[in-house]
Amino acid sequence: MLKDITLGQYFPGKSFIHKLDPRTKILCAIVYIAVIFCIKSFLGYFVLFAFTALIVALSKIPVRFVLKGLKPIMMFVAITALFNLLLTDGRILWKWGFLKITYEGLTQAVYMVLRLFFLVFGTSILTLTTSPIALTDGIERLLSPLKKIGVPAHEFAMMMTIALRFVPTLLEETDKIIKAQTARGADFESGNIINRAKAMVPILIPLFISAFRRADDLATAMECRCYRGGENRTRLRELKLGYRDGVCWFVVLIFSALILLANYFQVSGLL
Amino acid sequence: MIKLTDVSYTYMSGGPFESAAVENVSVTLNSGEFIGLMGHTGSGKSTLIQMIAGLIKPTSGSIEIDGQVLHSKNCDKRAMRFKTGLVMQYPEYQLFEETVFKDISFGPTNMGLPKDEIKRRVESAANLVGLDEDILQKSPFELSGGQKRRVAIAGVLAMEPKLLILDEPTAGLDPAGRDEILFKIRDMHKRLGITVILVSHSMEDLANLTQKIMVMNHGRLVMYDKTSEIFKKTHELKDLGLAVPQITEICDKLREKGFPVPAGIYTLDTAKAEIEKVLKNEKR
C-alpha cells in the first residue's frame, strides 16, 4: 500500500536521460516548471506535451510507471478543478441554484489540471531517472557558489541525502507498525474523523520513537567514522558535463522558445 | 484447521523490483498442534505467517482457517483477527501507551471486552511472560530491552488467541529469558490447547518445543513432517543452509563411527537413554 508511491522513487536505467549530469537535469526541471506557468494557450500545452512525451520515450521508463505518480495527487487535482470550475466569475454557461459554470472557470480549471499534471510529470521524470545521491550531489554543486556568502551548501546536501535515504526505511517501518497494531485489533478504517485521528496514535508514537533512535544511531555511526563536514572532502564520482548535457540544453531551450512563441499564436477556436 | 491452497505472494508485482516471496505453498495444519517454521533468511517465512494472520492478501491462492476463507466476502475480518495472535519480529516497536498496563490492554480493549475481564487478561498475560506486578504502572519506554519484549508479547497473549504465531520471539534475549518465555508458551499451548506456529533459527528450541516442522527454502515449502522425521534429514537440511540440533549431530557422528544409535534423536533425554543402552551392550 505504502510502497505504491512513485513520487520520488528512482527507476534504475542506462538511457540518455539517466546519463545526463544531475545539474543539467535539475536546472532543466526548473526551466520546465517555469515554462509551465508561462503558458497561456492550449497550443503551448500541446508543444509541452510533445516535449514531455519525447523525454519519457528517451528515458525508457514504462509510461505506466510515470502515470502511477499521478495517483496520489488525483484527489488534490479534482478539488482544485472543482473550485476553479465553480468559483470563477465570468460569462455564464450553466447555472443551477447558487452553482454556476462560467466560460472563464472552465478554461481556468482545464489549465490548472494540465499544469498540475505536467508539474508532477516533470518532477517525477527528474527523480525517476536520477538516483537520490546524484540528485543531492547536483544540488550541492549548484549551491556551492553560495558558500561564499555563508550558505552551508554541503550541510544542506547532507541533510537532504539523509532525509531521502530514510524515506524508504521509514515507510517500511510504518508498514511494519501498522501491521503489528492491526494484528492487535487496531481499526483504522471505521468511525468518524476524531476516532480515526485517535487510531493514528498507536502508529505515530512508535514511528517517532524509532525515528529519533535512528537519528541518534546514525549520528554516532558518522562520528565513529570521523565525519566532520564538507571541508576538503573529496568524492568518488566527480560530476562532469558532457556532450549529452549540451544536446539536452539545446533541445530544452528550443522547446521553451517554441512554447513561449505559441503564446502569440493563439488558435482562435480554442481560445 | 488451517488450510493453505497454492498460496503465492509477489512483492512489487509489475514493477522493476518484482520478486516472489512465497510460491505455491499448499499445506494443512491441524488445530492444537505446536508447529515450527524454519528456513534461512529471506526464505519467505515472515511473508507466509503474515498471510496466515490475514495482514497481507496472497497474490494468488487461498487460506482457510476453521472453515472461513480469509479475504472472502463473507469472512468477518475483525473476528478472524482476534482469533489469531501474531507476535512479529522485534515486537517492542509496537509499544506506545503511557503505562505497561494500558499497552497490554490495547488488544483486549479493541476486542470490546468488559473492564474486569481486561484487567484479568492483562494480569494473567503479564504473569505468563514473567513481568512483575509493579512494572504494570511504569512507562514501557523506561524498561530494558528484554522487558519491553515481554510487554510486547504479553500484548498479544492478552487477546487469548486460538492461533498464536510467533516470529522469532526470543531473538536478542538473554538465555534465561528466552527459555522462560518459550516454556511459558509451551505451558500455555498444553493448558489451553491452542495452535502455535513458531518461527525460529534455533534448532534446539524447535526440537524442544514443536511437534511438527515446516521447512521453507526460496519461497517454497520443501518439508513438512513430524519433528523427529525432519531431524533425520541432516544432509538435506545442511544443503538448505540449515542445521540440526547439536545433540542430533553428536548422535549422527556416533552412528558414523559404528555405534548403533538410531537416527532422528533430537532431545537430550532420548539421546542419553540411547547412549546408555549402547554403553550397556558394549560392556557385555
Side-chain angles (χ1 to χ4, degrees), chain A residues 23-150:
Chain A
R23 285 172 288 176
T24 308
K25 278 190 274 192
I26 295 168
L27 290 177
C28 286
I30 293 172
V31 170
Y32 182 91
I33 290 167
V35 165
I36 291 173
F37 285 99
C38 292
I39 297 177
K40 291 194 184 68
S41 70
F42 282 105
L43 186 64
Y45 280 112
F46 186 74
V47 182
L48 187 72
F49 175 76
F51 176 66
T52 313
L54 176 75
I55 295 177
V56 173
L58 275 176
S59 71
K60 296 199 177 117
I61 292 172
V63 179
R64 189 169 45 86
F65 217 78
V66 184
L67 287 175
K68 242 167 72 181
L70 291 178
K71 241 202 287 182
I73 64 148
M74 268 324 209
M75 197 59 191
F76 179 66
V77 170
I79 292 171
T80 314
L82 203 68
F83 271 83
N84 274 300
L85 192 61
L86 297 176
L87 298 176
T88 314
D89 286 324
R91 283 172 286 166
I92 290 169
L93 292 177
W94 177 85
K95 202 174 160 152
W96 185 77
F98 66 95
L99 293 173
K100 60 179 191 306
I101 291 176
T102 62
Y103 186 72
E104 282 75 13
L106 187 65
T107 34
Q108 193 73 21
V110 173
Y111 274 179
M112 273 298 165
V113 170
L114 285 174
R115 273 181 194 167
L116 286 170
F117 277 179
F118 280 113
L119 265 181
V120 172
F121 270 141
T123 42
S124 41
I125 288 165
L126 172 68
T127 51
L128 279 169
T129 60
T130 322
S131 74
I133 301 205
L135 204 59
T136 45
D137 266 4
I139 291 172
E140 183 176 352
R141 285 298 297 275
L142 285 173
L143 291 178
S144 60
L146 296 177
K147 274 183 193 164
K148 291 206 179 76
I149 56 162

Side-chain angles (χ1 to χ4, degrees), chain A:
Chain A
M1 146 191 69
L2 287 165
K3 285 185 180 142
D4 289 338
I5 299 171
T6 328
L7 209 68
Q9 200 181 53
Y10 176 52
F11 192 102
K14 287 200 168 87
S15 71
F16 180 86
I17 308 279
H18 281 87
K19 284 181 184 160
L20 284 172
D21 189 286
R23 285 172 288 176
T24 308
K25 278 190 274 192
I26 295 168
L27 290 177
C28 286
I30 293 172
V31 170
Y32 182 91
I33 290 167
V35 165
I36 291 173
F37 285 99
C38 292
I39 297 177
K40 291 194 184 68
S41 70
F42 282 105
L43 186 64
Y45 280 112
F46 186 74
V47 182
L48 187 72
F49 175 76
F51 176 66
T52 313
L54 176 75
I55 295 177
V56 173
L58 275 176
S59 71
K60 296 199 177 117
I61 292 172
V63 179
R64 189 169 45 86
F65 217 78
V66 184
L67 287 175
K68 242 167 72 181
L70 291 178
K71 241 202 287 182
I73 64 148
M74 268 324 209
M75 197 59 191
F76 179 66
V77 170
I79 292 171
T80 314
L82 203 68
F83 271 83
N84 274 300
L85 192 61
L86 297 176
L87 298 176
T88 314
D89 286 324
R91 283 172 286 166
I92 290 169
L93 292 177
W94 177 85
K95 202 174 160 152
W96 185 77
F98 66 95
L99 293 173
K100 60 179 191 306
I101 291 176
T102 62
Y103 186 72
E104 282 75 13
L106 187 65
T107 34
Q108 193 73 21
V110 173
Y111 274 179
M112 273 298 165
V113 170
L114 285 174
R115 273 181 194 167
L116 286 170
F117 277 179
F118 280 113
L119 265 181
V120 172
F121 270 141
T123 42
S124 41
I125 288 165
L126 172 68
T127 51
L128 279 169
T129 60
T130 322
S131 74
I133 301 205
L135 204 59
T136 45
D137 266 4
I139 291 172
E140 183 176 352
R141 285 298 297 275
L142 285 173
L143 291 178
S144 60
L146 296 177
K147 274 183 193 164
K148 291 206 179 76
I149 56 162
V151 177
H154 172 78
E155 281 70 19
F156 271 147
M158 182 52 91
M159 269 159 57
M160 271 195 58
T161 315
I162 292 173
L164 284 171
R165 186 244 165 273
F166 277 100
V167 167
T169 314
L170 288 180
L171 279 179
E172 210 172 276
E173 192 100 353
T174 315
D175 207 43
K176 221 168 66 171
I177 296 169
I178 290 179
K179 276 181 189 157
Q181 307 299 29
T182 314
R184 292 211 282 166
D187 186 4
F188 307 113
E189 279 133 26
S190 57
N192 57 30
I193 284 189
I194 293 171
N195 279 340
R196 278 197 214 187
K198 270 190 190 157
M200 297 306 285
V201 172
I203 296 171
L204 290 177
I205 291 178
L207 194 62
F208 272 103
I209 287 170
S210 92
F212 281 124
R213 206 201 58 232
R214 274 178 203 285
D216 238 12
D217 289 353
L218 184 70
T220 314
M222 281 167 82
E223 296 226 329
C224 285
R225 294 194 226 167
C226 304
Y227 173 79
R228 45 194 303 233
E231 281 305 304
N232 301 326
R233 215 174 153 76
T234 57
R235 35 185 85 250
L236 181 61
R237 273 183 219 91
E238 290 284 345
L239 295 179
K240 262 190 221 120
L241 292 171
Y243 78 94
R244 284 194 194 86
D245 301 287
V247 174
C248 172
W249 274 115
F250 184 69
V251 174
V252 166
L253 292 178
I254 286 201
F255 264 100
S256 308
L258 276 177
I259 291 164
L260 295 180
L261 266 178
N263 279 347
Y264 299 100
F265 288 95
Q266 293 178 356
V267 182
S268 58
L270 288 164
L271 199 154

